[in-house]
Amino acid sequence: MNVLKVGFFTAVAALAVLAAREYLPRDAVQAVAARVTGEAATESGAPSRHGFVDIPLPDGQSGHHVVIFAPANCPSDAAQRAEALARRLDDAGIPYTRSQSANFSTLSSQDEANRVMSVMNGPIPIVFVRKRARAKPDADAVMAEYRGG
């Protein structure tokens, strides 16, 4: 009899999860799932401790290293900030790549597109650390975000 009760409870719970996926926003389902599993979850678009926001990676980026988006060989203040950041990352032994452009072909919602635009339209350099990005971060924030601190 107890086996039947456990099986019935499991089936009802599975149906509840499936129903929630249909009627609740995706972010709400992910937040509930994170609470149930004990995983750390940030609200969609909520910045990390170091000011980085969850956004999708640009096309062709793996997320295993820091990506610095800024003009190359440019005397502007923004390009010089990117150069200084790259030197600090080199000194700290943190892997990075540099790029002058980013494409996002897999945005799944208007909210996601708005978050991407809010970061990418910010002051240069734009820096990605895994699946988070920030406009014009200082080197200490980039290193702390990379190290997970």
Side-chain angles (χ1 to χ4, degrees):
M1 187 69 169
N2 286 337
V3 173
L4 289 175
K5 288 180 183 177
V6 170
F8 178 75
F9 176 75
T10 303
V12 169
L15 286 173
V17 169
L18 291 173
R21 287 182 185 225
E22 290 298 318
Y23 294 103
L24 293 176
R26 182 176 169 205
D27 295 337
V29 173
Q30 289 174 342
V32 170
R35 270 188 245 129
V36 169
T37 61
E39 294 177 12
T42 59
E43 293 178 28
S44 179
S48 70
R49 283 187 350 184
H50 309 291
F52 285 76
V53 179
D54 290 332
I55 65 173
L57 288 167
D59 298 345
Q61 298 296 329
S62 69
H64 295 294
H65 52 270
V66 174
V67 181
I68 302 170
F69 288 94
N73 303 321
C74 179
S76 72
D77 289 342
Q80 295 307 308
R81 283 192 302 269
E83 281 295 323
L85 174 59
R87 283 192 300 275
R88 288 280 310 272
L89 294 177
D90 269 338
D91 292 344
I94 295 175
Y96 69 91
T97 59
R98 296 184 68 168
S99 183
Q100 296 182 50
S101 63
N103 295 314
F104 297 87
S105 63
T106 59
L107 299 178
S108 63
S109 68
Q110 186 61 46
D111 178 56
E112 200 170 60
N114 291 341
R115 283 183 296 165
V116 167
M117 293 303 293
S118 71
V119 173
M120 297 305 288
N121 286 337
I124 295 172
I126 307 299
V127 179
F128 276 79
V129 178
R130 295 177 189 84
K131 288 188 174 185
R132 292 184 176 162
R134 180 177 164 187
K136 194 183 169 187
D138 59 57
D140 292 332
V142 174
M143 291 186 289
E145 186 74 23
Y146 180 79
R147 292 178 177 140

